[in-house]
């Protein structure tokens, strides 16, 4: 049990990669608190995991929702050891040239408020408790944090920005708090395209998505959320006490191809 007695807050822990991380962290002995938007999926997780989990309905782009979740977590489980800032949304590969200036602006606010400001807010709200526990932060970034064509400009810019946030925080928060990231490659989840860009993108079915993900990475994997969880377990655990400011890529080898 690599995470025995750890208390972890995971944003977007009710679906996709965040849900897989939640499940595995509980198996590894952690108490997990999750923030999500959908009350149905939050309640499903509560029904399955009972006392091991705390659910918080909220919006990561609002500071007070992050703060409330941290307070509720500490009230329920007594401390906070790890923040996994994972909640995110997608731009559906919308093409910059196709999008009107109004939609560009609306999409910018919508997506960066969640992917970037939500990461800032999660880290800020958790900071005091992580200082007390000598804890750590893990951001879910992406292949789009390093390479083009992992999304459109909004998503790619947001995922690059998270790397800057992670590196600067690793520098500022040492020696008390470690700060790292996991960068999944294309993964079969329900990652949603934000409303302002829906008129500009093609909706693809799961088979098309799977074959396009396979073609992009040298290992030819249509990755599943479970493929990434070991990286989170390592970074969250005390085994990683010498690791900060790092990204573990879990992407089927995108860098090998040098996209
Ligand atoms: P997902 O849609 O299953 O999970 C995203 C979660 O974030 C959902 O639970 C969603 O409700 C939550 N969320 C979104 N906006 C929120 C908000 N404002 N407040 C609170 N919760 C919010 O998709 P996923 O693929 O599991 O995405 C998780 C993370 O992984 C994201 O940061 C995404 O950018 C990243 N990622 C995904 C892929 C991929 O191909 N699926 C690849 C690389 C990185």
């Amino acid at each position: 049990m690599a995470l025995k007695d750890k208390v972890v807050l995971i944003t977007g822990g009710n679906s996709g990669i965040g849900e897989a991380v939640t499940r595995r962290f509980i198996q590894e002995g952690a108490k997990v608190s999750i923030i999500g938007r959908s009350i149905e999926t939050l309640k499903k997780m509560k029904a399955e995991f009972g006392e091991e989990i705390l659910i918080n309905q909220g919006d990561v782009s609002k500071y007070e929702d992050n703060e409330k979740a941290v307070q509720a977590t500490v009230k329920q489980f007594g401390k906070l050891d790890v923040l996994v800032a994972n909640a995110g949304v997608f731009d559906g590969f919308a093409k910059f040239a196709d999008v009107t200036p109004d939609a560009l602006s609306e999409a910018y606010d919508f997506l960066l408020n969640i992917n970037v400001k939500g990461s800032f807010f999660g880290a800020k709200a958790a900071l005091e408790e992580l200082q007390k526990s000598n804890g750590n932060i893990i951001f879910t970034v992406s292949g789009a944090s390093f390479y083009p064509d992992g999304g459109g400009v909004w998503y790619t810019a947001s995922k690059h920005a998270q790397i800057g946030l992670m590196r600067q925080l690793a520098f500022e928060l040492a020696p008390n708090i470690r700060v790292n990231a996991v960068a999944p490659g294309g993964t079969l989840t329900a990652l949603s395209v934000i409303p302002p860009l829906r008129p500009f993108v093609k909706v693809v079915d799961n088979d098309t998505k799977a074959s396009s993900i396979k073609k992009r990475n040298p290992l030819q994997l249509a990755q599943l959320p479970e493929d990434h969880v070991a990286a989170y377990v390592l970074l969250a655990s005390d085994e990683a006490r010498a690791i900060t400011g790092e990204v573990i890529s879990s992407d089927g080898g995108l860098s090998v191809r040098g996209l």
Side-chain angles (χ1 to χ4, degrees):
M1 286 216 183
L3 303 176
K4 192 162 170 5
D5 299 329
K6 297 281 185 205
V7 177
V8 184
L9 176 60
I10 302 179
T11 71
N14 51 333
S15 75
I17 295 167
E19 178 183 345
V21 173
T22 299
R23 290 175 180 282
R24 178 65 184 276
F25 275 24
I26 290 173
Q27 276 175 18
E28 295 289 344
K31 300 275 191 259
V32 179
S33 177
I34 60 176
I35 305 180
R37 286 177 307 184
S38 146
I39 194 66
E40 290 76 30
T41 52
L42 287 168
K43 280 184 173 164
K44 236 175 85 194
M45 295 292 276
K46 182 69 189 164
E48 186 175 344
F49 292 108
E51 297 298 298
E52 310 299 314
I53 201 166
L54 177 71
I55 57 170
N56 309 271
Q57 191 179 25
D59 178 348
V60 294
S61 68
K62 297 191 173 125
Y63 183 73
E64 61 272 23
D65 287 6
N66 290 276
E67 196 179 31
K68 269 192 233 154
V70 169
Q71 285 166 357
T73 306
V74 174
K75 188 163 179 236
Q76 177 84 12
F77 297 129
K79 60 172 180 165
L80 181 67
D81 296 299
V82 184
L83 167 71
V84 180
N86 164 79
V89 285
F90 193 48
D91 62 13
F93 295 99
K95 291 279 169 267
F96 187 70
D98 296 345
V99 174
T100 61
D102 282 350
L104 180 156
S105 173
E106 215 187 317
Y108 181 96
D109 291 343
F110 199 116
L111 191 143
L112 277 91
N113 273 345
I114 296 173
N115 291 11
V116 183
K117 205 200 264 179
S119 298
F120 274 68
F121 280 170
K124 183 70 176 169
L127 186 57
E128 200 180 318
E129 291 302 325
L130 294 176
Q131 268 160 345
K132 289 184 203 161
S133 63
N134 285 328
N136 70 85
I137 301 174
I138 304 168
F139 293 103
T140 299
V141 296
S142 171
S145 297
F146 305 101
Y147 315 112
D149 207 23
V153 286
W154 297 266
Y155 188 73
T156 304
S158 78
K159 291 289 160 183
H160 275 62
Q162 283 184 303
I163 295 285
L165 173 64
M166 182 276 290
R167 289 207 174 113
Q168 183 65 25
L169 285 183
F171 173 72
E172 285 187 27
L173 303 184
N176 294 53
I177 300 173
R178 297 184 296 106
V179 187
N180 294 291
V182 176
T187 305
L188 292 172
T189 68
L191 186 63
S192 62
V193 177
I194 55 170
L197 291 176
R198 283 181 198 156
F200 303 97
V201 303
K202 230 180 27 208
V203 178
V204 288
D205 62 45
N206 234 27
D207 287 347
T208 313
K209 199 169 161 187
S211 72
S212 104
I213 290 174
K214 273 188 190 177
K215 275 187 217 143
R216 280 163 189 271
N217 66 78
L219 293 181
Q220 297 176 20
L221 294 173
Q223 296 171 109
L224 299 172
E226 293 71 22
D227 290 320
H228 310 303
V229 297
Y232 290 86
V233 173
L234 170 65
L235 292 175
S237 78
D238 296 337
E239 303 277 319
R241 75 178 195 119
I243 303 177
T244 197
E246 277 301 326
V247 184
I248 298 184
S249 290
S250 177
D251 61 10
L254 289 178
S255 70
V256 175
R257 197 167 142 192
L259 278 178

